[in-house]
């Protein structure tokens, strides 16, 4: 009987599950809307039903573990959520014990950003660049950060390491939901791009962005990206700000961590050609560690796009039940992402 794990990705909008095999990749999927109105108990019940459904479908195999990713802040090892902005009403909910009770078996839990980084390490860019350690930003609605050290998630003492998305880039910047001001997330997220686009429209000097807003009633980060790629100056200026903010934070991370690889994933990574030039410019100027290693020493610090796309969190969740250092016997990443 072959073994398989189930990976679960809980988001503020979608709840996704996969049955996974190291040899065959993703075997099966369940995609649901996250029932936020029903509260945490209703979502845990959806998870229970979906896991039983997948297990019944794959009864010829043995379910060996369940891993799950959730938006943070998540306290580990307790598994308690602390006021997660993307899961309103879940403050102080012990997700880990609720899952273990509902499923009557062990569940491995970590933050969605950590699991995306674990998948990139084991199946994606970590294999291309052949490294044991990396830092990864997952940039979407917000900015998640994660550290992989010697093949393992470095969660810190309370499971909260990697939160560089809430480091201040500009001390007097706008207020952030975390309580601080001028966080990276306020300049380098899809939410930030939308806000900066609205600000540009309000100045009256962004006619093409204003036209998009008039046509569709709102301006989204995808439209700003499309206009930027078409050469619109106002949209290019927004992504220049994204690159500047990322470069400032990355220079601190490179100086602090001296890791060989830093990845940028998540939906906004698609705008890489628009923000990367300014990001590298800032990094070159601000990080002497980056300059020394890349120019004087015969070595390299790489900043690159993540490779796995939207399934990275799910794949990381499926890998989580396996003890660190266990032989994962992973074939080429491309084969694993097949539907
Ligand atoms: Zn913040």
């Amino acid at each position: 009987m072959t073994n398989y794990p189930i990976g679960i990705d809980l988001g503020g909008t979608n709840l996704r599950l996969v049955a996974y095999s190291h040899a065959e990749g993703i075997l099966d999927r369940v995609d649901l809307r996250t029932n936020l109105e029903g509260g945490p108990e209703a979502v845990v019940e959806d998870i229970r039903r979906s896991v039983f459904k997948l297990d019944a479908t794959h009864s010829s195999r043995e379910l060996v573990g369940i891993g799950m990713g959730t938006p943070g802040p998540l306290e580990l090892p307790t598994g308690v959520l602390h006021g997660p902005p993307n899961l309103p009403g879940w403050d102080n909910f012990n997700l880990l014990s609720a899952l273990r009770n509902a499923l009557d078996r062990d569940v491995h839990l970590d933050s969605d950003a950590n699991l995306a980084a674990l998948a990139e390490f084991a199946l994606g860019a970590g294999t291309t660049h052949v490294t044991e350690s990396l830092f990864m930003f997952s940039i979407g609605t917000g900015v998640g950060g994660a550290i992989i050290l010697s093949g393992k998630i470095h969660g810190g003492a309370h499971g909260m390491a990697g939160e560089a998305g809430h480091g201040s880039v500009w001390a007097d910047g706008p207020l952030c939901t975390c309580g601080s001001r001028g966080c990276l997330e306020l300049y380098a997220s899809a939410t930030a791009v939308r806000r900066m686009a609205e600000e540009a429209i309000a100045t009256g000097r962004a006619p093409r962005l204003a036209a998009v807003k008039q046509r569709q009633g709102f301006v989204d980060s995808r439209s700003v990206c499309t206009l930027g790629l078409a050469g619109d100056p106002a949209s290019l200026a927004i992504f220049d700000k994204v690159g500047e903010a990322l470069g400032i934070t990355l220079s601190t991370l490179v100086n602090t961590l001296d890791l060989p690889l830093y990845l940028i994933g998540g939906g906004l990574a698609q705008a890489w050609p628009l923000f990367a030039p300014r990001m590298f410019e800032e990094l070159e100027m601000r990080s002497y560690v980056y300059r020394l290693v890349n120019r004087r020493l015969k070595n390299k610090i790489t900043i690159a796009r993540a490779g796995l796309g939207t399934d990275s969190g799910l794949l990381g969740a499926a890998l989580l039940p396996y003890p660190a250092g266990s032989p994962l016997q992973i074939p080429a990443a491309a084969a694993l992402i097949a539907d």
Side-chain angles (χ1 to χ4, degrees):
M1 187 182 259
T2 53
N3 295 340
Y4 80 102
I6 287 177
I8 308 169
D9 182 32
L10 170 64
T13 309
N14 299 306
L15 171 64
R16 303 189 297 152
L17 298 90
V18 288
Y20 174 81
S21 150
H22 289 325
E24 298 159 71
I26 290 173
L27 303 167
D28 205 350
R29 292 172 183 268
V30 176
D31 289 311
L32 299 172
R33 195 182 59 80
T34 306
N35 182 3
L36 287 181
E37 307 77 43
E41 289 78 13
V43 174
V44 168
E45 175 56 19
D46 281 345
I47 291 169
R48 189 190 68 79
R49 264 191 265 129
S50 303
V51 166
F52 278 70
K53 183 179 155 201
L54 284 174
D55 199 30
T57 308
H58 298 277
S59 56
S60 62
R61 302 169 190 257
E62 186 189 356
L63 176 58
V64 288
I66 299 172
M68 177 160 149
T70 169
L74 170 71
E75 181 190 342
L76 290 173
T78 59
V80 176
L81 288 160
H82 291 283
N86 292 332
L87 297 171
W90 291 54
D91 188 26
N92 263 326
F93 183 65
N94 192 320
L95 180 57
L96 187 57
S97 65
L99 289 168
R100 284 174 174 166
N101 288 338
L103 297 168
D104 198 23
R105 60 184 303 152
D106 199 13
V107 177
H108 300 259
L109 188 64
D110 216 313
S111 78
D112 44 13
N114 282 351
L115 295 183
L118 181 66
E120 285 292 342
F121 158 73
L123 306 173
T127 58
T128 318
H129 296 277
V130 194
T131 178
E132 292 287 294
S133 301
L134 59 85
F135 183 93
M136 178 167 161
F137 275 130
S138 294
I139 304 183
T141 310
V143 178
I147 305 165
I148 302 289
L149 285 182
S150 304
K152 289 193 265 186
I153 293 169
H154 174 72
H158 312 94
M160 298 182 198
E163 290 291 348
H166 289 285
S168 292
V169 177
W170 283 283
D172 299 324
L175 263 178
C176 182
T177 51
C178 77
S180 183
R181 280 187 178 276
C183 294
L184 175 66
E185 187 169 293
L186 297 174
Y187 303 97
S189 63
T191 316
V193 167
R194 280 200 302 275
R195 190 198 74 242
M196 291 190 282
E198 292 285 0
E199 289 167 1
I201 291 167
T203 65
R205 291 196 292 271
R208 293 173 75 182
L209 284 169
V212 166
K213 187 176 178 185
Q214 192 160 28
R215 188 170 67 245
Q216 60 186 31
F218 59 91
V219 58
D220 57 339
S221 60
R222 189 181 296 262
S223 305
V224 186
C225 183
T226 306
L227 280 178
L229 290 169
D232 173 48
S235 303
L236 288 171
I238 289 168
F239 280 104
D240 195 65
K241 199 74 181 169
V242 172
E244 183 183 11
L246 277 170
I248 290 171
T249 301
L250 277 171
S251 66
T252 302
L253 289 169
V254 169
N255 286 358
T256 307
L257 299 170
D258 187 20
L259 298 176
L261 180 62
Y262 302 77
L263 296 174
I264 296 182
L268 208 67
Q270 287 174 4
W272 175 273
L274 300 176
F275 64 72
R278 180 64 187 269
M279 179 182 78
F280 282 111
E281 204 177 290
E282 292 294 329
L283 196 55
E284 282 277 351
M285 188 264 284
R286 293 175 190 275
S287 172
Y288 81 91
V289 174
Y290 184 77
R291 289 195 306 274
L292 261 178
V293 173
N294 279 9
R295 292 179 187 276
R296 191 177 297 186
L297 309 183
K298 288 186 170 50
N299 217 316
K300 193 161 173 57
I301 291 172
T302 302
I303 320 287
R305 280 181 71 170
L308 293 177
T310 52
D311 277 339
S312 59
L314 269 171
L315 291 169
L319 296 175
L320 193 59
Y322 291 86
S326 72
L328 293 172
Q329 296 171 339
I330 293 158
L336 296 169
I337 308 165
D339 284 338

